[in-house]
Amino acid sequence: MLKAGVISLGCVKNLVDTEVMLGILRENKIDVTAQPNDADIIIINTCTFIESAKEEGISTILQMADFKISGKCRGIIVAGCLGQRYKQELLDELPEVDAIIGTGAWDRIMEAVKAVLAGERLIIADKSEIIYDDKMPRILTTPRYTAYVKVAEGCDNRCAYCVIPLVRGNFRSRTIESIVAETKNLVKNGVKEINLIAQDTTNYGIDPYGEIKILELLKELVKIEELKWIRLLYCYPKRFTDELLNFMATEPKICKYIDLPLQHAHNDVLKAMARQDTKEEIEDLLLRIRKIMPTATIRTSFIVGFPGESIEHYETLKEFIIKQRFDKVGIFTYSKEEDTVAFTMEQQVSEEIKQERYHELMAIQSKISEEINQSLEDQELEVLIEGRDSEQENVTYGRSYREAQEIDGQVYVENDPDSMPGQFIKTKVVQGYTYDILAEKIK
């Protein structure tokens, strides 16, 4: 039996594409191995969002190429965003690469495999239009109790710094029926937590329905009996309505967790970024969130060093972060990406200044996060157990509604000799730290 080694880089949206490719490989009787030296074919699903992601992709390709010599690898296939964006350059400049399949071609993975095994080199990277549905095979790479469900693909926002529309295409939604059917199947197989993802989750349904349908989708999903948690990720602030907030606040299955990438807090920079919100609108939204859902955990992200970001602009952002006291914040330095509007902008900020601003904001947010976690002490939290500490057998770890998988901290639970991964337990917070929380199991 042929064996494939599959590596998924980048975001969880990319991971879903990888999981579908894994399903297609299995349907075609190709085994999947975690040992690249034992793989006949190595498939690398790549990211190209920022410079570091591109570097990781190239580095991984070159590392895996060694197995053509030291292992049994007969071909390397580069999939995903890097392949879509630099298809011809990759094939021309990296002889180690045997095939390229773009973001809209993962369903043709077997075509690429067969061509490579026949000694051919090829590119399959047409305009990205496809999106998976509930009928396509899929192998989860996440723990059995949690899964990501992609509700839409592509993006229409056209932010000045972002290449996503270029490599992923225009925004296109799945149908409510398809998402519900897939979720039911996942739950039937043991999944208890669903993470809804897209480039812009709150824009879900604008096609094919002609209007936003995220609320209608949630109302259908909460009817699934064995589903415990629904988490929304990548919510664009402009379309976060009071109706959605009220439903989230009153529906127990929906995690009171709002992932709201804001990117900046000065109107000049927001305008230059081609963002659709003003600082005043963002402040109003945050006020409404906290009024309607007082216990909401709010995660956001900001970019420092965008072209033209002055000291005044940066200070406004810093003061905004201090004032708003977000639960969780990701800070990113601006990455100059060709084929974006910002690439040719004047007043590029030096790398040294970007790093200074990055480290200052991270230090500020670390203190805020620690204070917020300390304020939770003596409160009760329901925790989804994910594992057991390797050095302390009576300590488990997991997540509450406040932590999203892979991007946030964890809750460590003392005096818990019995709980198993996938189990929900009640805990009491003992101590809060910068990223993690220490709790004890409530008997």
Side-chain angles (χ1 to χ4, degrees):
M1 179 179 284
L2 286 172
K3 293 184 178 181
V6 182
I7 299 170
S8 190
L9 305 176
C11 67
V12 294
K13 296 181 286 292
N14 220 32
L15 181 65
V16 172
D17 294 345
T18 298
E19 292 176 340
V20 177
M21 282 194 288
L22 288 172
I24 294 171
L25 292 170
R26 181 177 61 182
E27 277 201 342
N28 285 272
K29 304 188 185 313
I30 293 181
D31 196 13
V32 177
T33 176
Q35 305 300 325
N37 63 318
D38 197 34
D40 299 283
I41 294 287
I42 296 178
I43 302 164
I44 306 165
N45 199 8
T46 57
C47 176
T48 187
F49 185 56
I50 55 178
E51 187 63 31
S52 59
K54 290 185 284 186
E55 292 172 357
E56 181 185 29
I58 298 296
S59 174
T60 303
I61 292 167
L62 296 177
Q63 288 173 21
M64 292 302 105
D66 289 342
F67 293 104
K68 285 186 171 183
I69 301 171
S70 62
K72 52 187 272 192
C73 179
R74 297 162 60 184
I76 291 179
I77 299 173
V78 176
C81 295
L82 189 68
Q84 181 74 33
R85 189 176 180 191
Y86 299 109
K87 42 188 174 286
Q88 195 62 55
E89 294 95 322
L90 286 173
L91 213 60
D92 291 344
E93 298 176 18
L94 291 178
E96 298 87 350
V97 175
D98 299 285
I100 305 288
I101 60 173
T103 54
W106 42 259
D107 61 324
R108 297 172 66 184
I109 182 63
M110 284 308 302
E111 182 180 339
V113 168
K114 291 174 182 177
V116 168
L117 292 177
E120 301 175 22
R121 298 184 84 212
L122 80 164
I123 295 173
I124 309 173
D126 299 328
K127 185 178 179 181
S128 184
E129 293 181 350
I130 192 171
I131 184 169
Y132 85 108
D133 60 29
D134 59 290
K135 296 177 178 61
M136 291 184 177
R138 182 179 173 191
I139 298 176
L140 294 186
T141 58
T142 50
R144 58 179 175 79
Y145 47 81
T146 186
Y148 296 100
V149 173
K150 193 188 295 190
V151 301
E153 182 59 275
C155 189
D156 290 340
N157 290 324
R158 303 297 190 273
C159 299
Y161 50 81
C162 186
V163 298
I164 295 300
L166 176 69
V167 296
R168 287 280 178 178
N170 293 331
F171 190 85
R172 50 204 186 276
S173 303
R174 297 171 59 189
T175 65
I176 290 176
E177 292 77 14
S178 175
I179 296 167
V180 171
E182 182 189 18
T183 302
K184 285 181 177 178
N185 186 55
L186 290 168
V187 171
K188 181 181 177 182
N189 286 284
V191 170
K192 299 178 181 179
E193 175 192 37
I194 290 293
N195 302 277
L196 300 182
I197 57 173
Q199 298 297 337
D200 180 359
T201 311
T202 39
N203 199 35
Y204 167 75
I206 199 66
D207 72 303
Y209 302 108
E211 58 182 343
I212 293 172
K213 290 285 188 177
I214 187 65
L215 182 57
E216 287 76 8
L217 172 63
L218 291 174
K219 287 180 178 178
E220 292 302 314
L221 291 176
V222 298
K223 296 175 183 178
I224 301 174
E225 289 187 10
E226 298 302 316
L227 181 57
K228 176 75 173 179
W229 279 354
I230 301 170
R231 192 184 300 272
L232 272 71
L233 300 176
Y234 309 104
C235 300
Y236 202 89
K238 188 73 173 180
R239 290 173 277 276
F240 221 109
T241 65
D242 283 356
E243 290 79 13
L244 177 58
L245 281 171
N246 280 306
F247 187 73
M248 291 181 67
T250 56
E251 173 50 56
K253 288 188 177 183
I254 299 181
C255 294
K256 310 303 181 277
Y257 179 101
I258 297 179
D259 178 33
L260 200 70
L262 298 176
Q263 311 308 2
H264 214 278
H266 194 288
N267 284 337
D268 290 350
V269 180
L270 289 168
K271 183 177 180 180
M273 287 179 167
R275 299 288 290 180
Q276 299 176 27
D277 306 278
T278 65
K279 179 189 177 187
E280 293 73 25
E281 289 170 334
I282 292 169
E283 288 174 329
D284 178 68
L285 173 59
L286 294 170
L287 190 64
R288 288 187 284 120
I289 290 172
R290 287 164 171 153
K291 180 179 179 180
I292 295 173
M293 207 184 320
T295 61
T297 291
I298 304 176
R299 159 173 276 281
T300 191
S301 58
F302 295 106
I303 297 171
V304 293
F306 188 79
E309 183 188 56
S310 66
I311 294 176
E312 177 193 345
H313 297 152
Y314 170 70
E315 289 295 328
T316 297
L317 173 59
K318 183 170 74 173
E319 291 168 7
F320 181 78
I321 290 173
I322 293 171
K323 177 183 177 182
Q324 291 296 336
R325 294 181 63 81
F326 296 99
D327 297 87
K328 306 170 194 299
V329 174
I331 306 293
F332 299 89
T333 57
Y334 166 71
S335 178
K336 187 179 180 182
E337 297 297 319
E338 62 265 37
D339 301 316
T340 65
V341 173
F343 184 78
T344 56
M345 285 183 176
E346 298 179 353
Q347 296 179 289
Q348 295 284 332
V349 178
S350 72
E351 192 61 34
E352 181 182 4
I353 292 176
K354 290 180 192 177
Q355 290 298 323
E356 287 176 0
R357 293 174 180 179
Y358 165 82
H359 287 293
E360 183 177 28
L361 293 187
M362 286 299 293
I364 290 170
Q365 181 57 38
S366 293
K367 186 173 185 296
I368 293 171
S369 296
E370 183 175 27
E371 291 171 351
I372 290 174
N373 284 344
Q374 288 173 344
S375 73
L376 299 173
E377 292 171 7
D378 295 326
Q379 293 186 29
E380 292 186 7
L381 282 178
E382 186 175 31
V383 173
L384 168 59
I385 297 300
E386 297 194 288
R388 185 167 298 279
D389 191 285
S390 59
E391 297 180 356
Q392 303 177 77
E393 62 180 22
N394 285 338
V395 176
T396 54
Y397 59 86
R399 295 176 290 111
S400 71
Y401 78 92
R402 298 177 53 82
E403 294 87 27
Q405 186 183 16
E406 297 181 346
I407 57 175
D408 296 323
Q410 293 178 314
V411 180
Y412 288 87
V413 185
E414 295 180 314
N415 304 318
D416 184 19
D418 303 318
S419 297
M420 300 296 292
Q423 183 178 347
F424 288 84
I425 67 169
K426 292 182 178 181
T427 73
K428 182 179 180 180
V429 177
V430 174
Q431 191 168 356
Y433 298 95
T434 303
Y435 300 110
D436 300 322
I437 287 172
L438 181 64
E440 61 183 4
K441 185 176 181 180
I442 297 176
K443 304 295 184 181

